[in-house]
Every structure is written in C-alpha cells, then in structure tokens.
C-alpha cells in the first residue's frame, strides 16, 4: 500500500488529481492529460466508477470519475450535457479508458471539458478500476485518520497552553509553528500587535500593514478574505470584539488553507480570549513593551525590520526624529496604570509614541517627532504627568536621533542618567527631567558606586587615614575634606574646621605622612578628592 502513496504527499496537503495520476496502479494505464492541466491540484474526495449516462446524480463533488466511455452519448449535445452535469456537481476529473469503445477521445468531449475547465485524462492501456478505487480509498481514509490525529494534537496543544496561562505572544508563536505560516494579531484599528513570521521576515510580513489589513474586510467567522487571501477570524468574548488574528499564505503557489489551518486559527482565537481574561496587561501595552525592548537591545534582524514593526504599531518610522525617555517610578513595581496615563497624555498632545515597561518599575517611552518639532516641551509635559502620578519618579532623557534603529543609543544614555541620579536628587531649576549634561562627578560616581574597582581605589587612597581615626579617635578625614573643598587653601580650611592655622598645618602633615601623599600636588589632591567623593557616595547610598 505504501508503494502506491503519491510522492511528495505531505501530512497537511489534500490528496489531488495529480497525486492519483502518479499512483503506480493508474500510471500503468499511461494516463495523458488532455484538458485541465492547470486544475490537477483539485482535491479528490472519492473515486467513482460509472457506466451511466447521468453519473452526476450519484455524486456529491470532489470525485474522480472513471469510465470506459461506453455510456457516452453519440451526439455532441448529449456529450456537452454529460460534461456540464459533472462540472456543475464539482467532479474533480474525468478519466476515460481508450481500449474498448474509443481509441482517441471524441472531439465533442474534449471541447466540452476544455470549455468547463474539467480535467480530462485518457488511459491508453487497460486498468483495473476496482483496484484503483481500493488503493485511493485506502489512502483517503488513512489521510482522514491522520488528519483526525493531527486535529486532536492541535486541540491538546492549545489546551496545554491555556492551562499553563500562556500569554498572547506564546499563543501566536504556537500557531505559527503548528501551521508553518505567518500569524499576526491585530487590534481594532488595524495595528499589528504581535507578528510571528514563518518562512519570511517581519519586514515582508508587516510592510504597509494597515493599508493591507483594511483591504481585507472584516467578518464574523473564520474565512479567507481580501486580495491576498488571508485566513482571518475575530477575537472576541461575549459579543465584545478585541481584535483579529490573521494567517498569511507563505507563497502564492502553496495550496489553499485547509481544515487544519482553520482549526489552528480558531483555537488561537479561543486561547487569545483566555489569555486576555487572565492577563491584566492590555495587548497594546504588551506590544509596545516588546517593541521597545527589541529596540533598546537591538534585537531586530535589520533596521528595515525595526521600521516595519513600529510602523505596523502606528508609529511614524521615518522622516522625523526619535527620543528615548525613561520614567523610573522608584516603587519596585510596574503597574499598567502609569503606562495608560502616559500614553493617553501623549495621544492628547498628538505625539506618536510607544510606551512600555522595560523592567520592573521602569517605563520606556519612545517619542516620534516631526523633523522640526522640539523635544524639550514634549518631555517637560511628560515629566509633569509622571511626577503627578509618582512624586518620587525620576524622568531621564537620552539624545535625539534621526534613525529608529539608533534609539538604542538614546535609551542607553537615558539609562546612564537614571543610574547616576541618587534618590532625592533635586531637579534642575528650569525643568522636571534629567539629561546627560546633569551628570557631574558626584552623580557619575553614584552610578559607578557598586564597581569593586572604584571601591578598591577608595580604600587604597583613604584606608590608612580612616583606620587611624578609628583607632585614635581623631577626625583627620574631616580635616582633609575641608582642605580639599577649599581647593588647598589652608586658611579657608582652618576657618571651616574651627581650627588654628598651626593646628591645621600639623594635621595636614600627619595626613601626608599617613597617606604618603604630597598635598601641595594638584594631581594628588584631585585623586584624594575623587576617593573622598566615592567614600561619601558609597556610605550615603
């Protein structure tokens, strides 16, 4: 039986006319396709042997009709009626044996089949029709059993996803893997929230997404729609529609979507509904978060992929400038409400943006501005909203960039600013956010305070002096601080410390001896000043 299985028959592809003709049991009759060569991909549902003049009355569609030609009408009108009935019922093909009544197909039969697009196949040698039906029917039944097993596997896989609380990204990824096709989840305004490409790239899948999606009309059921023949189904719950999931054909020459694809897509929609109910984060926030993380970490395959993905989310990806902003809530939590509030504020202001959680308690915002638009007023407005929600929040901004792919640099700079901003750091007098120019020595050292090399440097520079104060109850470290803060002016340092000049001189000589340093050297004073600043930062924070 396996020897008769058509070469190349995959587990998901329907059994076609071409597959039947390739079977050894039929190939022995030397089949020749006379008409309908372009329709050999028609699926075969069954094989029907007939010697009746009206076989269509016993058919349901999809049958491969086998005949010796004995019942064919003599006149052209009767032949056309015979072919019309087969075509109207949806027969897959007509196979006629040229052994008994005919040795070449009648012209009327050829013309009628060609006119209706019905594949006409002739057999030059005698073929056991009964054996053909046995082989094909066994294969068809085997395929049906296999299809049932695969359908059961699909149901089990999605049930497992639902039981473990899978999120929408996991659900869409599973759909793409099961179907071998690109699957996209979009919202009601035709923004592509999640795209799992298969056999293509994000760029190719999502280019001009909104325009293409709007051309693919809505529907209340699973069906193939639009000029690109997308398979789509709505995602909804109790009459409330949340979006739509689409399965895209990978290549134009591939067969149409089959029952398994429909099953996968419908189970995807069901799993997405459950994910929406059990995961409080709105899909749009998840999409923004994933896009921002990919941009910040440069995980896109190419700049074109980055632009296409962001454009599919409604963000202008070219022709303007971009600014990365971080809002550190300083709460240790990443709630959905701040994301919603900030996104609403930006939309009210007419500023396209992506807003999403980059890490717990830290929101990332990507502003897409017109080329002539100033970013400072926008960030100031954003910072005012953020501080209104969380007074302890720190809003940091990176530099402006002109290419979307370069926003990773803007976010890195904003992160450096955030890391260099200690709790309680006062805001600049003219604004409500922090930027790179605010980072002085102390804030830079604050950002580096956990680096063991910095800590070792401080201990190496000041350790002996601190140990002396501890052991003898002195306060030479404070004296050194006054001296360094006074830029080496002994008189000013003595006054700040409430000491006589003689006492100040004596203490400075002791400090030089303990540290083996020359306090008259500007370079060595700088080294000690940096070490003392690190000491203060580490002890304070």
């Amino acid at each position: 039986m396996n020897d008769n299985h058509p070469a190349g028959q995959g587990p998901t592809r329907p059994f076609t006319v071409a597959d039947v003709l390739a079977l050894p049991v039929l190939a022995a009759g030397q089949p020749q396709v006379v008409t309908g060569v372009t329709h050999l991909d028609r699926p075969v549902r069954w094989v029907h042997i007939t010697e009746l003049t009206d076989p269509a009355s016993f058919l349901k569609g999809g049958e491969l009709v086998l005949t010796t030609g004995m019942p064919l009408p003599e006149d052209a009108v009767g032949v056309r009626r015979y072919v019309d009935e087969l075509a109207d019922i949806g027969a897959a093909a007509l196979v006629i044996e040229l052994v008994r009544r005919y040795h070449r197909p009648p012209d009327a039969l050829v013309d009628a089949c060609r006119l209706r697009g019905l594949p006409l196949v002739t057999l030059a040698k005698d073929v056991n029709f009964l054996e053909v039906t046995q082989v094909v029917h066994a294969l068809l039944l085997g395929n049906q059993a296999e299809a049932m097993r695969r359908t059961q596997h699909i149901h089990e896989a999605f049930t497992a996803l639902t039981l473990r609380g899978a999120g929408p990204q996991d659900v869409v990824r599973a759909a793409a893997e099961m179907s071998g096709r690109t699957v996209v989840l979009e919202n009601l305004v035709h923004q592509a929230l999640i795209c799992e490409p298969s056999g293509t790239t994000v760029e190719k899948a999502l280019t001009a997404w909104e325009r293409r999606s709007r051309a693919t009309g809505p529907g209340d059921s699973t069906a193939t729609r639009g000029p690109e023949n997308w398979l789509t189904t709505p995602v909804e719950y109790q009459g409330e529609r949340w979006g739509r999931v689409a399965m895209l054909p990978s290549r134009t020459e591939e067969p149409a979507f089959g029952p398994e694809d429909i099953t996968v897509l419908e189970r995807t929609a069901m799993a997405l509904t459950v994910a929406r109910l059990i995961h409080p984060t709105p899909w749009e926030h998840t999409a923004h978060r994933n896009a921002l993380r990919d941009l910040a970490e440069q995980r896109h395959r190419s700049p074109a992929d980055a632009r296409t993905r962001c454009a599919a989310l409604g963000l202008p990806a070219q022709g303007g400038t971009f600014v990365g902003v971080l809002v550190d809530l300083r709460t240790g939590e990443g709630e959905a409400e701040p994301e919603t509030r900030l996104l609403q504020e930006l939309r009210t202001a007419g500023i396209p943006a992506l807003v999403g959680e980059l890490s717990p308690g830290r929101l990332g915002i990507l502003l897409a501005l017109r080329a002539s638009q100033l970013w400072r007023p926008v960030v100031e407005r954003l910072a005012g909203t953020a501080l209104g929600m969380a007074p302890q929040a720190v809003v940091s901004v990176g530099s402006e960039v002109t290419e979307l792919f370069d926003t990773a640099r803007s976010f890195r700079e904003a992160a450096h600013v955030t890391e260099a901003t200690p709790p309680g750091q006062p805001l600049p007098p003219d604004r409500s956010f922090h930027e790179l120019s605010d980072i002085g020595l102390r804030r830079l050292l604050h950002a580096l305070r956990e680096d063991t090399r910095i800590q070792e440097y401080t201990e190496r520079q000041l350790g002996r002096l601190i140990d002396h104060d501890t052991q003898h109850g002195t306060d030479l470290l404070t004296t050194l601080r006054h001296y360094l803060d006074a830029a080496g002016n002994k008189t000013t340092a003595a006054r700040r410390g409430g000491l006589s000049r003689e006492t100040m001189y004596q203490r400075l000589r002791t400090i030089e001896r303990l540290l083996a340093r020359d306090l008259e050297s500007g370079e060595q004073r700088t080294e000690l000043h940096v070490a003392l600043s690190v000491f203060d930062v580490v002890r304070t924070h």
Side-chain angles (χ1 to χ4, degrees):
M1 185 67 66
N2 289 338
D3 292 339
N4 286 314
H5 197 286
Q9 173 74 18
T12 61
R13 188 167 65 84
F15 201 48
T16 67
V17 174
D19 294 329
V20 176
L21 298 182
L23 293 172
V25 67
L26 198 57
Q30 298 179 0
Q32 180 180 357
V33 180
V34 180
T35 67
V37 175
T38 58
H39 300 298
L40 297 183
D41 59 348
R42 287 181 176 178
V44 174
R45 189 184 63 83
W46 207 243
V47 176
H48 184 73
I49 304 172
T50 183
E51 301 298 339
L52 300 175
T53 58
D54 59 340
S57 59
F58 295 90
L59 306 180
K60 294 183 178 181
E63 292 88 355
L64 186 80
V65 178
L66 302 178
T67 181
T68 61
M70 299 299 291
L72 280 179
E74 294 284 351
D75 60 297
V77 175
V79 170
R80 282 197 301 271
R81 184 174 58 252
Y82 181 91
V83 171
D84 285 341
E85 290 179 357
L86 291 179
D88 290 341
I89 201 65
L94 174 63
V95 179
I96 181 171
E97 188 182 72
L98 301 180
V99 177
R100 293 171 176 82
R101 178 178 178 184
Y102 298 106
H103 296 286
R104 58 182 298 274
D107 292 340
L109 180 63
V110 174
D111 293 340
C113 288
R114 181 176 292 114
L115 181 64
R116 295 303 305 269
L118 180 69
L120 173 63
V121 181
T122 62
L123 300 176
K125 292 186 177 182
D126 190 23
V127 169
N128 188 326
F129 283 174
L130 181 59
E131 185 179 355
V132 173
T133 62
Q134 290 174 338
V135 170
V136 175
H137 290 171
L139 290 173
L140 289 172
L141 292 173
N143 279 357
Q144 291 174 6
E146 178 61 24
M148 291 179 63
R149 285 192 292 269
R150 289 195 298 269
T151 299
Q152 181 64 27
H153 170 72
I154 291 169
H155 287 294
E156 291 173 352
F158 277 105
T159 298
L161 283 171
T162 300
L163 289 176
R164 68 177 177 85
Q169 189 83 43
D170 296 325
V171 173
V172 176
R173 182 181 301 115
E177 291 174 352
M178 288 185 205
S179 64
R181 301 178 189 267
T182 296
V183 180
V184 180
L185 170 66
E186 67 172 10
N187 60 15
L188 297 178
V189 293
H190 302 276
Q191 293 177 346
L193 303 179
I194 301 174
C195 173
E196 282 295 331
S198 180
T200 185
T201 63
V202 171
E203 179 188 2
K204 291 180 180 178
L206 296 184
T207 295
W209 177 263
E210 182 177 349
R211 174 182 58 76
R212 294 161 58 206
S213 176
R214 290 185 182 278
T216 304
D220 296 328
S221 60
T222 307
T224 302
R225 297 182 174 89
E228 299 182 41
N229 294 318
W230 293 358
L231 183 66
T232 68
T233 195
V235 182
E236 55 190 8
Y237 178 69
Q238 292 186 344
E240 180 186 1
R241 185 163 298 188
W242 294 332
R244 178 171 70 170
V245 61
M247 185 180 289
L248 312 187
S250 300
R251 294 187 301 272
T252 55
E253 66 270 18
E254 284 191 350
F257 295 105
E260 290 175 36
D261 296 314
I262 295 174
T263 300
V264 167
L265 202 65
E266 291 179 342
R267 285 307 309 261
T268 299
M270 293 172 59
L272 285 171
T273 296
V274 175
R276 173 98 177 194
L277 294 173
I278 66 176
H279 291 283
T281 304
W283 286 344
E284 186 176 23
H285 291 172
T286 301
H288 281 210
R289 178 196 65 200
N290 292 339
L292 284 170
R293 288 180 178 178
D294 287 348
L295 283 171
E297 299 172 19
Q298 289 190 318
R299 295 190 300 206
H300 290 284
R301 290 167 55 95
S302 67
D305 265 13
R307 287 192 295 269
T308 303
R309 181 176 179 186
C310 289
L313 285 172
L315 189 81
Q318 288 179 298
T321 60
F322 306 92
V323 177
V325 182
L326 294 180
V327 178
D328 196 325
L329 299 174
R330 301 279 161 115
T331 63
E333 300 177 358
E335 301 294 338
E337 183 182 357
E339 294 178 63
T340 303
R341 288 276 305 278
L342 292 172
L343 190 57
Q344 288 176 345
E345 179 69 22
L346 289 166
R347 285 177 173 170
T348 301
I351 307 298
L354 298 180
V355 180
E357 185 186 61
L358 295 181
S359 60
R362 179 174 293 183
L363 301 181
I365 303 167
L366 177 61
L367 303 175
L369 307 172
R370 299 185 303 274
S372 60
Q373 191 171 12
L374 300 177
W375 63 265
R376 288 182 178 276
V378 178
V379 176
E380 184 66 39
R381 178 172 180 169
L382 193 64
T385 302
L387 292 172
M389 292 186 295
Q392 299 303 315
V394 172
V395 180
S396 305
V397 61
S399 59
E400 189 177 34
V401 297
T402 57
E403 291 291 335
L404 184 66
F405 204 62
D406 291 335
T407 54
R409 172 165 58 87
S410 187
F411 277 116
R412 280 198 302 271
E413 293 172 352
H416 293 333
V417 175
T418 300
E419 292 160 4
T421 303
Q425 175 71 32
L427 285 164
D430 58 339
R431 48 189 159 84
S432 301
F433 59 88
H434 301 269
E435 57 182 318
L436 279 172
S437 60
D438 298 333
I439 301 180
L441 175 61
R442 185 170 291 273
R443 290 182 63 172
L444 176 63
L445 295 176
H446 172 79
L448 301 174
R449 66 190 182 279
E450 295 183 1
D451 191 315
T452 56
R453 293 170 297 181
I454 293 291
Q455 297 173 5
E456 289 173 354
Y457 172 81
T458 303
E459 186 65 23
R460 188 168 64 250
Q461 293 286 337
L462 300 175
R464 288 192 296 274
L465 187 63
I466 297 171
D467 291 342
H468 183 276
D469 280 347
T470 302
Q471 294 169 8
H472 298 88
T474 56
D475 195 15
L476 295 178
L477 188 66
T478 300
T479 300
L480 177 63
R481 185 190 309 279
H482 290 154
Y483 176 72
L484 295 175
D485 287 344
N489 188 306
K490 298 181 179 65
T491 301
T492 301
R495 184 172 63 252
R496 289 179 177 176
L499 303 173
S500 67
R501 289 175 60 86
E502 285 299 321
T503 302
M504 174 60 69
Y505 292 159
Q506 180 183 1
R507 289 191 178 188
L508 291 178
R509 286 194 294 270
T510 302
I511 291 171
E512 287 182 320
R513 176 176 55 81
L514 288 171
L515 299 181
R517 309 293 283 179
D518 179 9
L519 296 181
E520 295 299 323
S521 167
E523 180 179 351
Q524 293 188 29
R525 284 206 306 268
T526 299
E527 291 173 351
L528 290 171
H529 204 168
V530 170
L532 189 57
S533 297
V534 175
F535 177 82
D536 291 340
V537 167
V538 172
R539 292 298 174 90
T540 303
H541 305 289

